[in-house]
Amino acid sequence: RRYIFAFVLTLFLVIGIIEGINIYSESYSGLMKRGTSAYSSGNYNQAVAILEKASLKKKTSEVYALLGRAYAAKNDSEAAKSALEQAVSIIDAYRSLLELYAKDEEMDKIASLKKTVKDEKVLLLFDDYVTDSVVFSIKAGNYDTDQQLRLTAPKGLDIYYTTDGNDPTGSYGEL
């Protein structure tokens, strides 16, 4: 009985592992990994088939850019252009939205939107609007004596701040 139980348990474990691998390989991440590998190996037909499946799961500039390169490598210029136009349109849509938010001084919306983006190429667009590299000269906390605080940011960036609790914008707050 022990051996039968151990055998059945092992069988279920093996089946579970195989199913987990199958689920991952058909996920967006798994498809992108397989598509990138096929492209890198020069298997462009296989890369296109895999990347087309990935594009159905998630429409990112990453998948369309690689798909476009795979089509180009197959000398399918029209399909390559179409895929690359998809990649560009995603980036252009984000660029336009960021420009509108900035024009209306809605920096909080830019910061919130950035938190939702996973695409590395799209994330680069945010560098002109927000930075995570502002450095504070002292740690946050309560102090018994007055403290001098210095804020520094990369060269060319302005830091706006307020002392009344309101959000700073380009037209409201100290520079």
Side-chain angles (χ1 to χ4, degrees):
R1 289 178 78 92
R2 278 189 190 159
Y3 295 116
I4 293 173
F5 176 75
F7 175 75
V8 170
L9 184 62
T10 303
L11 184 63
F12 278 121
L13 186 61
V14 168
I15 290 171
I17 291 170
I18 291 170
E19 279 303 306
I21 291 169
N22 285 339
I23 289 170
Y24 172 76
S25 71
E26 290 302 311
S27 71
Y28 173 79
S29 296
L31 290 167
M32 284 302 296
K33 185 174 183 178
R34 288 177 34 223
T36 301
S37 176
Y39 176 81
S40 296
S41 300
N43 298 324
Y44 304 122
N45 288 329
Q46 183 183 17
V48 164
I50 294 168
L51 294 167
E52 286 286 358
K53 285 174 73 174
S55 73
L56 296 174
K57 300 219 180 248
K58 243 184 184 177
K59 298 181 182 329
T60 67
S61 63
E62 176 187 33
V63 71
Y64 287 119
L66 186 56
L67 186 57
R69 289 195 302 271
Y71 275 123
K74 288 178 44 169
N75 294 318
D76 187 342
S77 182
E78 291 307 310
K81 288 179 204 172
S82 177
L84 293 170
E85 286 167 358
Q86 288 282 6
V88 170
S89 70
I90 290 169
I91 291 173
D92 283 344
Y94 273 99
R95 183 178 292 115
S96 296
L97 183 57
L98 290 171
E99 288 170 359
L100 286 172
Y101 282 156
K103 177 180 162 258
D104 293 341
E105 297 184 351
E106 296 177 306
M107 301 313 280
D108 56 327
K109 289 188 177 179
I110 292 175
S112 295
L113 181 61
K114 183 179 181 183
K115 292 176 186 173
T116 67
V117 175
K118 304 288 185 253
D119 188 311
E120 291 297 322
K121 290 178 180 69
V122 174
L123 280 171
L124 291 174
L125 299 175
F126 288 82
D127 290 349
D128 291 336
Y129 300 97
V130 293
T131 181
D132 297 326
S133 57
V134 173
V135 178
F136 292 79
S137 62
I138 59 174
K139 292 182 181 179
N142 296 316
Y143 295 89
D144 293 330
T145 60
D146 290 342
Q147 300 292 312
Q148 182 176 358
L149 171 66
R150 183 183 355 222
L151 305 176
T152 55
K155 187 174 182 166
L157 296 180
D158 294 328
I159 300 173
Y160 290 88
Y161 68 94
T162 63
T163 56
D164 62 5
N166 288 310
D167 289 335
T169 65
S171 61
Y172 180 77
E174 303 288 329
L175 174 63

